[in-house]
């Protein structure tokens, strides 16, 4: 069974750093992109970026580039997104999802349960 | 930046057919997917490559495309189908875009 299990909720102060994780199981980790998606309170889905675990190539949405870093550790089949300096506007639920690596635009066929990040002074 | 446009909300009576549209300038040349999200839950893929249904998704869910518009249709809508629905496509070979979402009410 394919599973993406994310780390637990976080409460942080503005300016603090944070890394949240997404542990994959039930499939070959290096055959799928790991994507991160933000959902602010009561809002829609926003694509943040993705990483190809087979070569660590990453791509970012212009809205997030420079503010986050996406990484992966193949040894433990885990993807990460990290912030070096959080803002109150980073308060949101963050989802990871997998996407088959293909030139034909494959869908996000499995999602993590989401990680709630709250940034407040 | 590239945008996908969905109606913010729509309602359908139980047992009736409801259709949600998603429009975007590049949709004519690419695949789109649809995701269902119920309150407090993660999104679930219900349609991919415009018309395909993943295993486990009920047959009442179908997808179609005409020009730059893709449509998600739910036939014989059930109360459990009440959810937010998001379309998704690509802004480039790597960048992803989501529609703003449609809140479907079954009443």
């Amino acid at each position: 069974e394919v599973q993406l299990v994310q780390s637990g909720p976080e409460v942080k102060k503005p300016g603090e750093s944070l890394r949240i994780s997404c542990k994959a199981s039930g499939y070959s980790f290096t055959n799928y992109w790991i994507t991160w998606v933000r959902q602010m309170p009561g809002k829609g889905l926003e694509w943040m970026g993705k990483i190809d675990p087979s070569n660590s190539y990453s791509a970012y949405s212009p809205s997030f580039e420079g503010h986050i870093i996406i990484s992966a550790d193949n040894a433990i089949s885990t993807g990460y997104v990290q912030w070096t300096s959080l803002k109150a506007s980073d308060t949101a639920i963050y989802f990871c999802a997998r996407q088959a690596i293909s030139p034909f635009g494959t869908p996000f066929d499995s999602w993590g349960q989401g990680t709630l990040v709250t940034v407040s002074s | 930046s590239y945008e996908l446009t969905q109606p913010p909300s729509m309602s359908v009576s139980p047992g009736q057919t409801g259709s949600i549209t998603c429009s975007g300038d590049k949709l004519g040349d690419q695949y789109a997917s649809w995701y269902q999200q119920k309150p407090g839950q993660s999104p679930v893929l219900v349609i991919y490559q415009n018309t395909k249904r993943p295993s486990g998704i009920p047959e009442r869910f179908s997808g179609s495309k005409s020009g730059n518009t893709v449509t998600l249709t739910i036939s014989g809508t059930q109360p459990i189908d009440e959810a937010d629905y998001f379309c998704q496509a690509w802004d480039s070979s790597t960048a992803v875009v989501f529609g703003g979402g449609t809140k479907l009410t079954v009443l």
Side-chain angles (χ1 to χ4, degrees):
Chain A
E1 178 194 6
V2 173
Q3 282 194 310
L4 297 174
V5 178
Q6 298 185 226
S7 49
E10 301 275 1
V11 179
K12 292 288 188 179
K13 290 180 167 50
E16 291 187 333
S17 63
L18 174 65
R19 189 178 76 168
I20 63 175
S21 65
C22 171
K23 182 167 177 60
S25 62
Y27 72 95
S28 177
F29 186 62
T30 53
N31 286 351
Y32 291 79
W33 295 93
I34 288 290
T35 273
W36 288 94
V37 174
R38 181 175 78 175
Q39 188 166 40
M40 299 178 77
K43 301 298 184 182
L45 305 175
E46 299 175 89
W47 181 76
M48 300 168 62
K50 63 182 181 181
I51 188 165
D52 178 345
S54 69
N55 57 19
S56 295
Y57 170 78
S58 57
Y60 296 89
S61 162
S63 300
F64 293 89
E65 189 151 27
H67 187 51
I68 61 170
I69 297 172
I70 294 173
S71 60
D73 185 338
N74 290 355
I76 55 172
S77 299
T78 300
Y80 303 95
V81 59
Q82 66 182 74
W83 296 258
T84 56
S85 181
L86 286 160
K87 307 174 185 177
S89 57
D90 291 319
T91 295
I93 297 173
Y94 293 88
F95 295 100
C96 65
R98 75 167 194 172
Q99 178 191 6
I101 297 172
S102 162
F104 299 109
T106 51
F108 305 125
D109 64 355
S110 186
W111 293 68
Q113 83 276 21
T115 295
L116 174 62
V117 174
T118 303
V119 184
S120 175
S121 55
Chain B
S1 63
Y2 182 43
E3 293 184 353
L4 298 177
T5 302
Q6 300 179 233
S9 63
M10 67 171 291
S11 62
V12 60
S13 300
Q16 299 303 303
T17 295
S19 294
I20 302 172
T21 59
C22 171
S23 300
D25 290 344
K26 303 178 186 179
L27 285 180
D29 299 322
Q30 58 179 229
Y31 288 131
S33 300
W34 288 94
Y35 302 88
Q36 175 196 68
Q37 187 182 32
K38 297 181 179 180
Q41 298 184 18
S42 305
V44 173
L45 177 69
V46 294
I47 293 290
Y48 68 100
Q49 292 183 2
N50 301 327
T51 62
K52 297 180 179 179
R53 194 173 54 249
S55 61
I57 300 302
E59 292 184 5
R60 64 179 180 274
F61 289 88
S62 63
S64 61
K65 186 171 88 168
S66 177
N68 288 331
T69 298
V70 292
T71 302
L72 172 69
T73 299
I74 310 173
S75 305
T77 306
Q78 298 185 10
I80 59 170
D81 300 329
E82 186 164 288
D84 294 327
Y85 291 87
F86 297 91
C87 60
Q88 174 257 311
W90 283 263
D91 190 6
S92 68
S93 61
T94 55
V96 171
V97 62
F98 288 98
T102 299
K103 183 176 182 63
L104 177 69
T105 302
V106 181
L107 48 71

